[in-house]
Amino acid sequence: MKLKLICYWVLTVTATVELLVGAEWDLAHRPDVVQLVTHLGYPTYVLTILGFWKLLAVIAWLVPGFPRLKEWAYAGVFFETTGAAASHIASGNKLIDASWPLILAALGMASWALRPQSRRFTVTSISSTTSIPARS
């Protein structure tokens, strides 16, 4: 069990560092990132949006509690990274260009799969004051 927790944290920290670097590059509108995004056909303002959401995903992944928010953050990172890979392929870039976003997607999925029970969204993680309507 301890090995699983160590693997979880190594993968999570690696992915969050990459997300933080990506967020900084997006928010700073680095010239190379602007050139890439415009080559892919997106307006440059999308960098501000992506950078902001990457920062929020890092916070959601690392802060204890909030299991539903963590689920949404993992999903958002998955959609962003696989969407980036699809954009590379659709724009005619080399397959190697699509591999980097897919590697980050794989890191996120592995982090999600290895997360401890305390970071999982389950029915028991819902407050006991919340009622779930019965199916009719």
Side-chain angles (χ1 to χ4, degrees):
M1 189 60 133
K2 187 170 179 132
L3 179 61
K4 182 179 174 182
L5 187 61
I6 291 169
C7 289
Y8 163 77
W9 279 110
V10 167
L11 291 168
T12 302
V13 168
T14 302
T16 55
V17 166
E18 194 338 81
L19 285 170
L20 281 173
V21 169
E24 193 276 323
W25 288 6
D26 292 350
L27 293 171
H29 286 229
R30 280 180 43 140
D32 55 331
V33 177
V34 169
Q35 181 183 7
L36 174 63
V37 166
T38 54
H39 167 72
L40 294 175
Y42 296 103
T44 55
Y45 69 79
V46 81
L47 291 172
T48 304
I49 297 167
L50 291 174
F52 176 74
W53 285 111
K54 286 176 187 178
L55 286 176
L56 292 180
V58 166
I59 293 167
W61 280 9
L62 295 179
V63 171
F66 308 100
R68 185 180 308 207
L69 185 61
K70 286 183 193 327
E71 291 290 322
W72 279 97
Y74 276 112
V77 169
F78 179 79
F79 295 143
E80 190 269 334
T81 54
T82 57
S87 294
H88 279 289
I89 293 167
S91 68
N93 287 355
K94 297 176 185 172
L95 195 55
I96 191 74
D97 295 325
S99 66
W100 294 113
L102 292 175
I103 289 169
L104 183 56
L107 284 172
M109 289 185 335
S111 170
W112 177 84
L114 294 172
R115 70 201 189 287
Q117 191 64 35
S118 63
R119 292 176 168 264
R120 293 176 184 259
F121 178 69
T122 61
V123 175
T124 58
S125 66
I126 299 174
S127 169
S128 60
T129 61
T130 304
S131 63
I132 299 174
R135 290 187 177 208
S136 25

